[in-house]
Amino acid sequence: MKFTYSSGQRDLDGYTLKRGIGRGGFGEVYYAISDGGKEVALKLVRGHNLEIEMRGMAQCLNLKHPNLMTLIDLRTDVQGDHWVVMEYISGEPLSVVLNRHPQGLAPELVQQWFIALAKAVGCLHDHGIVHRDLKPGNIFIENGTVKVGDYGLCKFISSSQRTAQTQSVGTVHYMAPEISTGNYHKQIDIYSAGIILYEMLTGRVPFDGESAGEILMKHLTSPPDLSVLPPDYVNIVGKALAKNPAHRYVSMLEMAKEVEAVGRGPEAKRNGSSAGGSPRFANRGLGAPGSPPAFPPAVPVLTALPVVSPRQQVAELCGSLALAPVVAAFFSTLWMSVSSLTAKGNVPGHVPASAVDTEIGFSFFLTVAICWAVLVPAKLWSGRKGDSGLRRGVMTVMGVMVGLAALWMGGWILAPQP
């Protein structure tokens, strides 16, 4: 990939270009260092609609949101070329993450990525701005925080993990059907968000083809295959990908609340769809255009939960089982030390020393048995959804067995009759 400028050049006053990091048909992106030492991304903007695009970028200059890439300044160099000074994000884009997970991301990670995406895009919508090119290549993770970038100029200079891209708005794999009619309302971002959600869950986009025209036609006429989605997401993605914009979600906030409620049970889903909303989004609706962003701070993105193999489960279980007697012995010894002080000399009204030793031994073995009865089924069922009847039955049986053992050790049963 050949860039106009090379490392070390200072075409824009106050900044030293270090390397090119992106190039498209209408511009280039460079990693640069300011004279003060700040890392920035410089976008060299070129295109037929340059004036319109620069005016649109100016409207985004003062947007501040932890999930949005920050625009710092608009500059013009001595040659008359226009530059956008932007926050440099060193993290990797979602497209790279998806390439490493061809079968889709873990459900926990999907929720975290999407909720942060919804907050960022909702902030744009709150200020009357439509992103128009939401796609994994424009969504980044840096230091555990999701950031959405390339809004405004994204259609010109950002690259995609797929090559089919229009010369007007967006990338065809994530393009809403109504764009063909010139409709650029916020519902096109909701549609694109639905495509991204589908891709995060399955590892692929719902509409693909050999050419941009074929893909666009599928967006216009073909229903998405929702059978490959987890059941909890079928209605969510189906509504976001409705061909008629009026049938989609009213806002990103509404869609995010339903995504957040997945896996939290029917009651949480009903609350997430109600006027009150879910706890995280309650009383945080979108304000009027021009008002400050109504979303809460950024959602940290956690690492996907690892899959624990049976061997690891057995190793963890053995370690826990071995630790239980150690802990029980420690507390039994501590109890014996305290009790022996009161039993010393067999003072009337106190328990004899021999009885104390017997009681401590009884309590030690009983404590270990109880710990093991809880640890074994809990570890065997770790990571499974729900609390099955089989699990409850096993724990009940083990509890009864421990109880019978305690009675037997206490001489209540199987003891010889006088």
Side-chain angles (χ1 to χ4, degrees), residues 1-2 34 65 187 211-212 316 323 336-337 346 384 412 415:
M1 183 180 297
K2 186 177 180 181
S34 72
H65 192 279
Q187 264 67 33
S211 65
E316 291 177 1
L323 183 61
M336 184 173 8
S337 300
N346 198 16
R384 300 189 183 183
W412 286 88

Side-chain angles (χ1 to χ4, degrees), residues 110-152:
V110 170
Q111 285 182 307
Q112 293 159 4
W113 277 90
F114 189 85
I115 291 172
L117 166 65
K119 291 180 178 182
V121 178
C123 177
L124 294 176
H125 293 175
D126 199 33
H127 290 81
I129 300 168
V130 180
H131 190 291
R132 300 184 299 177
D133 193 20
L134 288 177
K135 58 187 177 184
N138 290 339
I139 306 169
F140 305 85
I141 178 171
E142 182 181 54
N143 299 325
T145 300
V146 169
K147 286 181 176 284
V148 176
D150 286 347
Y151 45 96

Side-chain angles (χ1 to χ4, degrees), residues 235-258:
N235 291 335
I236 298 174
V237 176
K239 185 173 182 179
L241 299 187
K243 305 299 183 185
N244 186 343
H247 297 162
R248 297 176 202 150
Y249 291 97
V250 176
S251 66
M252 289 296 299
L253 173 63
E254 181 187 6
M255 185 177 179
K257 287 191 292 187
E258 292 204 10

Side-chain angles (χ1 to χ4, degrees), residues 174-195:
Y174 308 92
M175 188 180 295
E178 66 270 20
I179 286 181
S180 61
T181 64
N183 184 352
Y184 301 143
H185 200 256
K186 65 182 181 181
Q187 264 67 33
I188 69 172
D189 285 346
I190 294 174
Y191 185 93
S192 299
I195 298 286

Side-chain angles (χ1 to χ4, degrees), residues 366 369-374 377 391-407:
L366 183 61
I370 293 173
C371 291
W372 286 1
V374 173
R391 178 181 183 178
R392 293 194 297 270
V394 170
M395 296 191 75
T396 300
V397 171
M398 296 188 73
V400 171
M401 292 175 63
V402 171
L404 292 175
L407 291 174

Side-chain angles (χ1 to χ4, degrees), residues 22-330:
R23 189 170 186 270
F26 295 92
E28 299 173 339
V29 188
Y30 294 85
Y31 166 68
I33 302 292
S34 72
D35 290 347
K38 183 178 179 61
E39 295 179 316
V40 297
L42 296 181
K43 293 192 174 185
L44 174 61
V45 186
R46 291 171 175 168
H48 300 293
N49 299 322
L50 177 62
E51 181 179 350
I52 297 175
E53 291 303 321
M54 293 302 292
R55 186 164 60 244
M57 293 299 291
Q59 297 174 354
C60 301
L61 274 177
N62 295 317
L63 287 181
K64 294 181 181 180
H65 192 279
N67 295 121
L68 282 176
M69 177 189 291
T70 302
L71 303 187
I72 300 173
D73 201 4
L74 303 179
R75 300 281 298 276
T76 304
D77 61 23
V78 294
Q79 299 177 357
D81 288 331
H82 297 278
W83 298 78
V84 181
V85 184
M86 307 186 72
E87 171 189 7
Y88 173 70
I89 299 179
S90 59
E92 60 185 4
L94 175 58
S95 56
V96 173
V97 177
L98 288 172
N99 286 337
R100 292 201 303 266
H101 299 82
Q103 303 303 318
L105 304 180
E108 299 86 355
L109 204 57
V110 170
Q111 285 182 307
Q112 293 159 4
W113 277 90
F114 189 85
I115 291 172
L117 166 65
K119 291 180 178 182
V121 178
C123 177
L124 294 176
H125 293 175
D126 199 33
H127 290 81
I129 300 168
V130 180
H131 190 291
R132 300 184 299 177
D133 193 20
L134 288 177
K135 58 187 177 184
N138 290 339
I139 306 169
F140 305 85
I141 178 171
E142 182 181 54
N143 299 325
T145 300
V146 169
K147 286 181 176 284
V148 176
D150 286 347
Y151 45 96
L153 285 180
C154 53
K155 65 178 182 179
F156 285 148
I157 58 181
S158 59
S159 60
S160 172
Q161 67 185 96
R162 296 174 175 86
T163 57
Q165 185 169 356
T166 69
Q167 297 296 317
S168 55
V169 177
T171 306
V172 294
H173 289 92
Y174 308 92
M175 188 180 295
E178 66 270 20
I179 286 181
S180 61
T181 64
N183 184 352
Y184 301 143
H185 200 256
K186 65 182 181 181
Q187 264 67 33
I188 69 172
D189 285 346
I190 294 174
Y191 185 93
S192 299
I195 298 286
I196 294 171
L197 180 58
Y198 186 105
E199 188 174 11
M200 287 194 293
L201 292 166
T202 65
R204 60 184 177 86
V205 291
F207 304 114
D208 210 340
E210 297 297 326
S211 65
E214 180 184 354
I215 299 170
L216 288 173
M217 186 58 63
K218 289 181 179 179
H219 280 292
L220 287 168
T221 60
S222 301
D225 179 13
L226 303 179
S227 63
V228 297
L229 295 171
D232 288 337
Y233 283 95
V234 170
N235 291 335
I236 298 174
V237 176
K239 185 173 182 179
L241 299 187
K243 305 299 183 185
N244 186 343
H247 297 162
R248 297 176 202 150
Y249 291 97
V250 176
S251 66
M252 289 296 299
L253 173 63
E254 181 187 6
M255 185 177 179
K257 287 191 292 187
E258 292 204 10
V259 171
E260 187 188 36
V262 170
R264 293 169 50 198
E267 185 65 27
K269 293 181 181 180
R270 286 195 295 270
N271 292 338
S273 301
S274 65
S278 62
R280 186 180 300 176
F281 290 98
N283 301 321
R284 293 170 179 171
L286 296 177
S291 63
F295 285 105
V299 175
V301 176
L302 307 178
T303 305
L305 296 177
V307 178
V308 180
S309 65
R311 178 179 295 179
Q312 289 175 308
Q313 283 186 316
V314 172
E316 291 177 1
L317 176 60
C318 292
S320 300
L321 294 179
L323 183 61
V326 176
V327 175
F330 171 77

